[in-house]
Amino acid sequence: MSDLGFTFRRSKNGEVVVDHRGKRATILRGDKAEWFLQDMDGLDFDSQQQEMARLTGNYKRGNERKARNHPRNR
């Protein structure tokens, strides 16, 4: 796997900000932020990237090749 361009940081007020290629993708608050941070502690870099992609909805769905060949996308 490779770097998908996700980063995260915890703010002073306990929120977790997830960025994708330098732009804010989502903000996690409360229990969801705590769960996310606990989950990230046990994962390697590639798994963290995949988890953030799933969390933000920005992940491959398996239909990219089919969509690329559609006349609208040529």
Side-chain angles (χ1 to χ4, degrees):
M1 295 204 134
S2 62
D3 184 4
L4 299 176
F6 288 98
T7 59
F8 71 93
R9 64 185 182 281
R10 185 175 189 160
S11 63
K12 291 179 183 178
N13 62 2
E15 296 177 340
V16 176
V17 178
V18 178
D19 296 326
H20 182 245
R21 302 194 194 283
K23 294 185 179 181
R24 182 173 296 151
T26 192
I27 298 175
L28 305 174
R29 295 177 178 94
D31 292 337
K32 197 166 190 178
E34 290 301 321
W35 169 84
F36 175 79
L37 291 171
Q38 290 173 359
D39 194 32
M40 288 294 116
D41 282 341
L43 298 176
D44 63 354
F45 179 76
D46 289 338
S47 297
Q48 286 181 347
Q49 292 290 305
Q50 285 296 315
E51 186 64 33
M52 287 185 276
R54 286 186 199 99
L55 182 70
T56 61
N58 187 358
Y59 58 94
K60 301 229 181 247
R61 293 160 186 87
N63 62 352
E64 289 80 13
R65 185 174 299 151
K66 185 176 179 182
R68 179 179 29 182
N69 293 330
H70 191 276
R72 174 183 64 227
N73 298 325
R74 290 184 187 191

